[in-house]
């Protein structure tokens, strides 16, 4: 796509009259926030407006989110009907969301399903693991598989079953294996300036109109620590 009003280039992975699938850059907020920095939703709306010479406001439905520091594949809806149907897939856990992550240390098992209960402190923007009986605890579930280990780190593929805020970051930290570069949940082993090694790798969904199964993939950039495993990186980034 063309660059938006600022200097951020957003790769488009797929587009039709109903869907827009893009690769979110790292450290770009999905929506406008207090920082005032350019956000993904506004950049994409401006781009659609320019490319198709659309008058007035452009509709683009946000159906899921990624934390600001996280990059990778995201899907947006270009119509309200598509937004409703995609949101329903997410509610039913019918949209499959896979991530790549690099954790510090080794996991207890090469493959496991993690189930925790999480509470978010909105003032601090932090999430905590709580007991099952906590009145505000929300169930969080994922499955991970260790793909490779090297240099005191583990490369994981994660199948995310629920979409709680900061879920992957919190659940892995709770296992004693915080994500590389995550200062919020791994401050004892990570350092300021390190980029979090969490990437939205693959989305599998049903097209909201055609009902066809569709898969979209994005690979992490060719930079440390991802390039410890070069076969899992995008050499063009």
């Amino acid at each position: 796509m063309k660059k938006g009003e600022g200097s951020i280039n957003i790769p488009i992975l797929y587009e039709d009259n109903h869907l827009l699938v893009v690769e979110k850059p790292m450290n770009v907020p999905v929506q406008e926030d207090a920082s005032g920095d350019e956000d993904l939703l506004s950049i994409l709306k401006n781009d659609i407006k320019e490319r198709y010479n659309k008058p007035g406001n452009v509709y683009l439905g946000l159906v899921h989110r990624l934390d600001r520091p996280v990059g990778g594949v995201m899907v947006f809806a270009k119509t309200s009907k598509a937004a409703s149907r995609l949101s329903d897939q997410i509610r039913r856990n019918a949209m499959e969301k896979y991530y790549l992550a690099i954790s510090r240390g080794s996991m207890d098992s090469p493959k496991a399903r993690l189930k925790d209960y999480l509470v978010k402190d909105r003032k601090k923007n932090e999430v905590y693991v709580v007991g099952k009986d906590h009145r505000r605890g929300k169930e969080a579930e994922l499955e991970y598989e260790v793909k490779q280990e090297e240099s005191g780190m583990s490369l994981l593929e994660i199948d995310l079953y629920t979409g709680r805020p900061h879920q992957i970051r919190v659940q892995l930290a709770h296992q004693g294996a915080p994500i590389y570069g995550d200062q919020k949940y791994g401050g004892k082993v990570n350092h300021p300036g390190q980029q979090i090694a969490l990437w939205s790798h693959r989305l599998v969904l049903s097209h909201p109109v055609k009902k066809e199964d569709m898969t979209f993939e994005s690979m992490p950039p060719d930079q440390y620590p991802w390039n410890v495993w070069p076969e899992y990186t995008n050499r063009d980034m």
Side-chain angles (χ1 to χ4, degrees):
M1 66 171 277
K2 297 176 183 177
K3 293 187 178 182
E5 292 180 348
S7 58
I8 302 172
N9 187 43
I10 314 297
I12 293 176
L13 304 179
Y14 176 84
E15 184 178 14
D16 63 16
N17 292 332
H18 313 281
L19 300 178
L20 178 63
V21 183
V22 304
E23 184 173 87
K24 175 191 174 297
M26 298 176 292
N27 302 315
V28 173
V30 171
Q31 283 181 293
E32 185 177 358
D33 62 16
S35 72
D37 295 339
E38 282 190 286
D39 65 278
L40 185 60
L41 191 60
S42 297
I43 293 169
L44 294 175
K45 284 183 177 181
N46 289 335
D47 179 67
I48 291 172
K49 187 180 180 72
E50 290 177 11
R51 284 192 291 124
Y52 297 104
N53 296 314
K54 285 184 173 286
N57 294 325
V58 169
Y59 179 86
L60 194 63
L62 179 63
V63 296
H64 68 125
R65 291 169 171 78
L66 293 177
D67 292 346
R68 177 170 180 153
V70 179
V73 62
M74 282 192 72
V75 60
F76 292 83
K78 293 178 70 175
T79 67
S80 57
K81 179 188 288 186
S84 175
R85 291 179 177 176
L86 289 173
S87 295
D88 181 62
Q89 289 184 46
I90 291 172
R91 279 193 297 272
R92 295 186 288 105
N93 292 328
M95 184 184 295
E96 299 175 32
K97 293 179 282 186
Y98 297 90
Y99 291 75
L100 292 174
I102 297 175
S103 68
R104 296 283 195 172
S106 298
M107 306 302 293
D108 290 338
S109 172
K111 186 174 183 178
R113 194 160 179 154
L114 304 181
K115 184 174 180 178
D116 295 294
Y117 293 84
L118 307 181
V119 167
K120 183 173 184 179
D121 183 330
R122 297 192 178 279
K123 290 183 179 180
K124 294 182 178 180
N125 191 31
E126 289 192 28
V127 177
Y128 303 93
V129 175
V130 296
K132 182 178 180 179
D133 297 328
H134 194 287
R135 61 184 178 84
R136 293 196 298 120
K138 293 185 176 181
E139 187 175 293
E141 197 166 0
L142 62 79
E143 185 173 297
Y144 74 81
E145 181 178 359
V146 178
K147 307 303 286 187
Q148 295 187 39
E149 293 183 336
E150 184 77 32
S151 304
M153 300 181 292
S154 299
L155 176 66
L156 312 176
E157 184 177 65
I158 294 163
D159 186 355
L160 190 65
Y161 296 123
T162 53
R164 307 300 181 195
H166 302 181
Q167 179 183 335
I168 298 172
R169 300 163 65 183
V170 175
Q171 287 194 275
L172 290 182
H174 187 62
Q175 293 291 310
I179 295 175
Y180 176 96
D182 188 355
Q183 282 93 54
K184 187 182 288 286
Y185 300 105
K188 292 182 179 180
V189 291
N190 294 314
H191 308 289
Q194 290 179 335
Q195 175 64 45
I196 190 170
L198 178 60
W199 194 263
S200 175
H201 171 51
R202 184 164 71 250
L203 284 180
V204 182
L205 55 88
S206 174
H207 192 283
V209 176
K210 300 175 184 177
K211 308 300 183 185
E212 298 171 353
D213 288 340
M214 307 184 79
T215 299
F216 305 102
E217 287 195 351
S218 167
M219 301 301 287
D222 184 20
Q223 63 187 46
Y224 190 83
W226 296 110
N227 58 12
V228 172
W229 299 279
E231 65 271 31
Y232 285 92
T233 64
N234 180 355
R235 296 300 184 89
D236 297 327
M237 292 180 68

